[in-house]
């Protein structure tokens, strides 16, 4: 696709628009909620056991400690600039094998997430990462969903407000075109060309067999090319019971999205063959809105709905004694988060 064609595609498909273009028009509604809560940074009280309510700059490792251990992958925290010999001993002691996933302890949008196959790749990752990071066992399940969960403080049960399925960015061979040509044929992958060229190099010149699939990015991140599909119509009582059981076991967790790797949906609904790879709190988006079939107006309606929940929960928790974030501290947090995001983009 030509440069002009890519620009037109991006302009006419809102899911590719920058964050500010989607969210800035909603700023007056956030101001309304802030007045209602009497704090611009009211979200801090939404999930009292998460740093900043899980909006930003929260430690993933600290959040894993809140989740019942049987539902998460084996995970270890590695301090920045730890010698690889020490890291190797920690990996062996934790019974984590190559390949595994490495990702920043404080991160966002899958920036800095990588699949590590050997010690050489691990050393390269250690050298370039700007912060502490996690090493996490590779989960054998190939499907991923994001499940948004909300519970009003004081109520016994919560509910699922949206489900998104995530199709990893990939290409399908035709026996003729190179991987590079296949990438350029699809706007979704073409937008990732710079990062993919850096990652795969000359491998992109290879020709895949007809029908052969090549996974370009094995993570369910929209910013890294994953396609999001709204599966909210598959919410069912069994799944809600499983998710509610997990979330009510997490101290003071009321609002956020569970990112889950699973084998098949029937087993997931029975609480089998799945692992939670992340939980995003107040900063978690209801990502089912990014399904290409949805309009921007649908997305705004869903954002309003979830912000209302966020505000209501925060106000109740504030009355229970949990503080809001001061304006000064809130601004400092957002500035720190922005700086870290720029650093992670280079990893």
């Amino acid at each position: 696709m030509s440069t002009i064609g890519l620009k037109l595609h991006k302009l006419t498909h809102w899911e590719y628009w920058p964050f500010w273009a989607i969210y800035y028009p909603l700023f007056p509604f956030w101001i309304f909620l802030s007045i209602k809560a009497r704090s611009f940074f009211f979200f801090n009280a939404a999930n009292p056991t998460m740093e900043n309510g899980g909006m930003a700059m929260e430690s993933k490792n600290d959040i894993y400690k809140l989740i019942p251990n049987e539902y998460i992958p084996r995970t270890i925290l590695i301090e920045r600039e730890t010698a690889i010999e020490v890291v190797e001993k920690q990996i062996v002691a934790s019974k984590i094998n190559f390949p595994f996933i490495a990702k920043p302890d404080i991160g966002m949008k899958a920036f800095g997430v990588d699949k590590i196959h050997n010690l050489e790749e691990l050393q390269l990752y250690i050298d370039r990462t700007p912060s502490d990071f996690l090493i996490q066992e590779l989960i054998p399940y190939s499907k991923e969903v994001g499940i948004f969960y909300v519970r009003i403080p004081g109520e016994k049960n919560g509910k699922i407000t949206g489900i998104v399925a995530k199709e990893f960015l990939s290409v399908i061979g035709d026996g003729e075109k190179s991987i590079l040509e296949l990438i350029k044929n699809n706007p979704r992958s073409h937008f990732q060309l710079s990062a993919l060229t850096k990652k795969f190099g000359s491998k992109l010149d290879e020709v895949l067999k007809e029908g052969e699939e090549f996974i370009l990015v094995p993570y369910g991140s929209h910013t890294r090319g994953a396609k999001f599909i709204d599966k909210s119509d598959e919410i069912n009582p069994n799944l809600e019971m499983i998710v509610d059981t997990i979330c009510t076991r997490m101290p003071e967790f009321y609002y956020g999205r569970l990112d889950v790797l699973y084998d098949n949906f029937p087993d997931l609904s029975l609480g089998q063959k799945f692992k939670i790879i992340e939980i995003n709190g107040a900063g978690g988006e209801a990502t089912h809105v990014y399904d290409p079939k949805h309009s921007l107006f649908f997305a705004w309606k869903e954002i309003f709905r979830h912000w209302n929940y966020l505000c209501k929960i925060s106000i109740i928790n504030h009355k229970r004694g949990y503080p809001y974030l001061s304006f000064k501290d809130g601004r400092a947090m957002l500035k720190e988060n922005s700086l870290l995001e720029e650093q992670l983009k280079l990893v």
Side-chain angles (χ1 to χ4, degrees):
M1 181 174 284
S2 67
T3 302
I4 294 177
L6 276 178
K7 288 182 178 179
L8 285 174
H9 186 86
K10 191 170 187 177
L11 183 64
T12 56
H13 293 74
W14 73 266
E15 65 166 306
Y16 297 110
W17 292 2
F19 179 88
W20 63 264
I22 298 170
Y23 279 89
Y24 279 18
L26 309 183
F27 188 69
F29 185 66
W30 186 270
I31 294 296
F32 167 74
L33 294 176
S34 300
I35 294 171
K36 190 175 179 181
R38 299 184 179 181
S39 169
F40 188 80
F41 295 102
F42 59 82
F43 54 75
N44 189 66
N47 299 307
T49 52
M50 292 184 179
E51 185 76 15
N52 302 314
M55 173 60 76
M57 298 306 297
E58 71 276 19
S59 162
K60 297 181 190 299
N61 192 55
D62 287 347
I63 292 176
Y64 286 132
K65 292 176 183 177
L66 302 175
I67 308 170
N69 196 56
E70 62 267 32
Y71 299 116
I72 59 174
R74 289 194 188 97
T75 304
I76 54 175
L77 175 66
I78 307 297
E79 294 183 1
R80 185 187 178 192
E81 297 181 350
T82 301
I84 193 168
E85 295 82 9
V86 176
V87 177
E88 185 179 8
K89 289 179 181 178
Q90 290 178 274
I91 293 169
V92 172
S94 300
K95 299 181 180 179
I96 296 176
N97 302 313
F98 289 106
F100 54 71
I101 298 296
K103 59 185 177 183
D105 181 40
I106 299 176
M108 68 291 289
K109 303 176 182 177
F111 294 137
V113 179
D114 210 347
K115 188 176 180 180
I116 307 297
H117 298 83
N118 50 53
L119 286 174
E120 182 181 359
E121 290 183 4
L122 177 58
Q123 182 65 69
L124 290 172
Y125 188 87
I126 292 173
D127 291 342
R128 69 179 187 266
T129 188
S131 59
D132 296 348
F133 65 97
L134 302 176
I135 287 177
Q136 193 169 75
E137 69 172 325
L138 192 67
I139 301 302
Y141 308 134
S142 60
K143 299 176 182 177
E144 183 177 341
V145 289
I147 302 173
F148 212 100
Y149 174 83
V150 168
R151 180 164 67 92
I152 305 301
E155 295 187 1
K156 182 179 179 181
N157 301 112
K159 62 182 179 180
I160 297 172
T161 58
I163 297 179
V164 62
K166 306 177 181 183
E167 289 186 359
F168 301 152
L169 188 66
S170 66
V171 290
I172 305 293
D174 61 2
E176 297 179 2
K177 298 184 185 68
S178 67
I179 296 175
L180 179 60
E181 289 174 308
L182 294 172
I183 289 172
K184 290 182 175 180
N185 278 351
N186 183 351
R188 189 173 298 278
S189 53
H190 202 160
F191 286 132
Q192 304 293 322
L193 183 57
S194 178
L196 295 174
T197 300
K198 180 180 177 181
K199 179 178 181 180
F200 292 110
S202 60
K203 186 173 180 63
L204 297 185
D205 296 325
E206 295 181 11
V207 176
L208 301 176
K209 297 176 182 177
E210 186 173 356
E212 180 183 357
E213 182 179 22
F214 182 71
I215 303 293
L216 298 167
V217 182
Y219 323 115
S221 168
H222 193 264
T223 57
R224 296 186 64 176
K227 182 179 180 181
F228 284 7
I229 301 172
D230 189 352
K231 293 289 186 180
S232 300
D233 59 344
E234 295 190 27
I235 296 173
N236 61 77
N238 279 342
L239 183 61
E240 283 205 305
M241 181 181 68
I242 295 299
V243 171
D244 195 46
T245 298
I246 295 170
C247 293
T248 52
R249 288 176 63 187
M250 296 173 58
E252 300 289 351
F253 174 67
Y254 300 99
Y255 179 96
R257 190 188 70 243
L258 290 70
D259 291 335
V260 178
L261 284 176
Y262 69 105
D263 183 60
N264 63 81
F265 204 82
D267 279 341
L268 174 62
S269 295
L270 294 175
Q272 301 171 0
K273 298 181 180 179
F274 76 95
K275 291 289 183 180
I276 299 170
I277 54 172
E278 277 194 20
I279 290 186
N280 297 271
E285 291 184 279
T287 46
H288 60 278
V289 303
Y290 288 102
D291 188 320
K293 74 182 180 183
H294 289 318
S295 70
L296 180 58
F297 295 104
F298 173 88
W300 283 344
K301 181 181 177 183
E302 284 294 277
I303 293 169
F304 283 165
R305 182 167 74 101
H306 285 81
W307 280 2
N308 264 319
Y309 281 128
L310 180 62
C311 185
K312 181 177 181 179
I313 291 167
S314 298
I315 290 173
I316 293 173
N317 281 339
H318 184 62
K319 290 178 179 177
R320 295 172 61 221
Y322 293 107
Y324 293 144
L325 202 61
S326 72
F327 194 81
K328 179 182 177 181
D329 290 341
R331 284 188 63 188
M333 179 268 292
L334 292 178
K335 184 176 180 180
E336 186 180 9
N337 186 71
S338 239
L339 179 61
L340 179 61
E341 182 174 340
E342 291 305 312
Q343 292 174 331
L344 292 176
K345 285 179 181 179
L346 302 175
V347 176

